Amino acid sequence: MRGAEIEEIRRRSKDTDDDFRRLAHYIGRLGATRSSASTVVRAVIIVPGLRQISDIRIVEAPELRDVTIDRELMSPYEIVRAICTDSTSQNPIQIQSALRAIVDLDSPINDIDRARAHLASRRTIITRVHAELQLADRFSRSKYMEFVGDDKYIGCSKPACYFCYNWLSNHKHKYILPATHNKIIPGCRGPDNDINEAGAVVLKEMYTKIRGNLDQHILDFLLTTENRDANLSRQYMSTEGSSRAPSRISTVPARVNTR
């Protein structure tokens, strides 16, 4: 099955998490695995040095973790207001424009994808550490593992999401930036298994950097929205579908503090 057949299954979906949507996702992932295997074969033909790989190691994935979301922090306006307060740019015109944009997006007369309704529906979120961050963390902690030719590139079966791309962008080990589909996948978190006190400090610093990136990107989006139709600027924020399709995830992602 290819794209057209999978899309036909997805079109039968009535809900974002029903059986049709899950079936389409699983079929797509099976195809992605086969595609990745074919890519490895082609790479070995082009780069014979890859044939020297003699050992494959499994990295134990960090546990899934439920994070409770503070309902008082789930107001889109309050989120943006806090961002404007923390922003290094205190341009009053930009602040007023950003706040006006979020009010327009969250207007009571807009019955489609209202940010407030979506955020209010979430009580907890399951967080995961994606594969590329697990690998980056493994190399960062080891004193003996090295990249061949000091080529600090971490390859995965698909491009990095928004969170992982920004995490690697801010990493002190200066990993080569991966390809990215830049989609926002709720529930991402940084590597935090078996960390000591020094590691906890580094983790906190990384979250501060990521939050700074996110704050600025939200402001940039809202300031751009002020000058064009908001419906044309929304990006699909999931692992499925076109990057320009209507999104069921809020166009203003919430900042979630993980402790």
Side-chain angles (χ1 to χ4, degrees):
M1 300 184 73
R2 293 295 182 267
E5 291 87 352
I6 296 175
E7 285 301 319
E8 179 59 32
I9 295 174
R10 188 175 287 118
R11 275 193 290 270
R12 297 172 183 268
S13 173
K14 303 297 182 183
D15 186 80
T16 56
D17 196 35
D18 62 17
D19 290 340
F20 285 111
R21 182 60 64 93
R22 287 198 293 267
L23 177 60
H25 174 74
Y26 292 141
I27 293 175
R29 294 311 305 150
L30 286 172
T33 301
R34 181 182 185 278
S35 175
S36 298
S38 298
T39 300
V40 170
V41 172
R42 289 195 299 269
V44 169
I45 294 174
I46 297 173
V47 186
L50 293 177
R51 299 175 188 173
Q52 299 175 15
I53 296 174
S54 60
D55 184 26
I56 296 177
R57 303 181 187 181
I58 298 175
V59 175
E60 196 69 29
E63 62 181 1
L64 302 183
R65 185 174 301 157
D66 288 342
V67 175
T68 301
I69 301 176
D70 188 344
R71 294 186 62 182
E72 294 182 0
L73 301 178
M74 289 296 96
S75 164
Y77 180 83
E78 292 300 328
I79 291 171
V80 175
R81 189 177 187 280
I83 292 173
C84 291
T85 302
D86 295 340
S87 175
T88 55
S89 172
Q90 294 298 324
N91 185 321
I93 296 177
Q94 288 188 335
I95 290 176
Q96 290 177 10
S97 296
L99 292 175
R100 187 180 301 112
I102 189 58
V103 169
D104 290 342
L105 286 170
D106 196 39
S107 171
I109 62 175
N110 177 17
D111 292 328
I112 302 176
D113 292 340
R114 282 187 293 171
R116 183 180 300 273
H118 179 78
L119 291 175
S121 68
R122 309 190 76 152
R123 299 290 181 269
T124 61
I125 187 169
I126 299 176
T127 62
R128 299 174 172 83
V129 181
H130 284 183
E132 49 265 71
L133 299 194
Q134 294 179 39
L135 293 173
D137 183 59
R138 184 67 172 267
F139 273 89
S140 299
R141 298 192 195 193
S142 175
K143 296 180 180 180
Y144 309 104
M145 296 175 64
E146 297 179 357
F147 286 88
V148 176
D150 199 30
D151 182 12
K152 296 184 178 181
Y153 176 79
I154 298 174
C156 285
S157 61
K158 58 185 176 182
C161 68
Y162 172 91
F163 181 85
C164 292
Y165 182 83
N166 281 277
W167 188 276
L168 293 174
S169 298
N170 288 284
H171 204 287
K172 67 177 182 179
H173 282 248
K174 300 186 182 300
Y175 293 109
I176 296 174
L177 294 183
T180 177
H181 51 58
N182 212 35
K183 295 174 184 175
I184 295 174
I185 302 176
C188 298
R189 77 173 196 269
D192 53 9
N193 55 310
D194 300 325
I195 58 174
N196 54 25
E197 186 175 343
V201 172
V202 172
L203 187 67
K204 185 177 181 179
E205 291 174 349
M206 285 295 293
Y207 276 121
T208 299
K209 293 178 182 179
I210 294 295
R211 196 179 81 167
N213 289 153
L214 177 59
D215 288 355
Q216 188 58 54
H217 293 160
I218 290 175
L219 281 180
D220 292 343
F221 169 81
L222 291 172
L223 293 174
T224 302
T225 300
E226 271 286 289
N227 300 316
R228 66 178 179 179
D229 182 2
N231 289 329
L232 296 179
S233 62
R234 291 183 297 179
Q235 183 183 24
Y236 195 94
M237 298 181 182
S238 173
T239 55
E240 304 165 359
S242 166
S243 62
R244 305 305 300 179
S247 175
R248 292 185 62 86
I249 301 296
S250 166
T251 53
V252 183
R255 299 186 299 174
V256 177
N257 292 324
T258 58
R259 291 182 173 88

